[in-house]
Amino acid sequence: MKKLVLTAAIVCATVMSHAATVSWSISGLQDSTGAALNGYAYTFTTKGDSATTIAAVTAAFASVTDAKSFNTALGGLSYLSDLSGAVSGGAIKFTKVDQASAGIAEKTSNTQLFALVVDSNPVSDDANWYITGLSAGKKTAADSTTTDTAFSYTDTGSHTAGNWKAVAAPEPTSGLLMLIGMAGLALRRKRA
């Protein structure tokens, strides 16, 4: 009986260790000044239970005003935590992460990944964010195979300062009122 239990345990361990994997990398990320980015990337997929679109992610972050509202918006989205992490020197790379635990649907054609990139880690009130384009579409493997599906994306859009959006975008009305108030104070002092 012990031999049967031991054999079953070895078979289970072998099957579990030989599951489909996914690799993901982004390179070429630069901050709004053109320097190699050091920040954080949250990865999303276009297929499966946690699927989303670039438009949906952009809409979720359209009204963030500080780190707290940024994290609240992020909490409402299904990002792939196993494929998200720190960006260093303009790149991020994951190799052979278990496909099922990463949240990538098996046997799905034209699966694409993209990332929400932030120029600070952790996110601060004066951080900026940017969304990459889509990786090339791949057909993912069956979870029971040992195949690795490799996604990669070389970014070009982050090089443009206009593509970065501020987390704490000042309200135009507040700035205008402050300007009028300061002008009023200056005029009052000038008369006195």
Side-chain angles (χ1 to χ4, degrees):
M1 183 63 147
K2 288 181 184 178
K3 288 182 182 179
L4 287 174
V5 171
L6 183 60
T7 303
I10 291 171
V11 168
C12 286
T14 303
V15 168
M16 296 296 273
S17 66
H18 293 340
T21 57
V22 60
S23 297
W24 164 238
S25 67
I26 307 172
S27 60
L29 290 170
Q30 294 181 1
D31 64 20
S32 59
T33 66
L37 180 71
N38 292 311
Y40 201 87
Y42 299 92
T43 304
F44 296 88
T45 183
T46 59
K47 298 286 177 118
D49 293 338
S50 55
T52 191
T53 63
I54 289 176
V57 175
T58 302
F61 287 91
S63 61
V64 296
T65 56
D66 56 19
K68 184 178 180 183
S69 62
F70 180 95
N71 289 321
T72 300
L74 186 63
L77 297 170
S78 297
Y79 68 93
L80 309 177
S81 57
D82 286 2
L83 298 177
S84 299
V87 175
S88 178
I92 184 172
K93 185 173 186 174
F94 298 90
T95 56
K96 300 197 180 277
V97 176
D98 182 71
Q99 179 174 277
S101 69
I104 303 291
E106 68 174 327
K107 298 191 291 186
T108 307
S109 296
N110 201 31
T111 299
Q112 295 173 297
L113 302 182
F114 66 95
L116 165 70
V117 181
V118 188
D119 65 1
S120 70
N121 182 22
V123 175
S124 63
D125 286 348
D126 60 348
N128 296 295
W129 59 275
Y130 165 76
I131 299 177
T132 68
L134 295 168
S135 69
K138 301 279 183 160
K139 180 171 182 174
T140 57
D143 286 340
S144 59
T145 67
T146 58
T147 305
D148 183 61
T149 306
F151 296 91
S152 65
Y153 182 78
T154 302
D155 190 76
T156 55
S158 69
H159 302 185
T160 306
N163 288 342
W164 287 90
K165 295 171 181 50
V167 168
E171 183 186 351
T173 308
S174 298
L176 183 60
L177 287 173
M178 190 168 82
L179 179 66
I180 291 170
M182 295 304 267
L185 282 174
L187 285 173
R188 187 174 181 175
R189 284 187 165 206
K190 191 174 184 179
R191 285 186 201 167

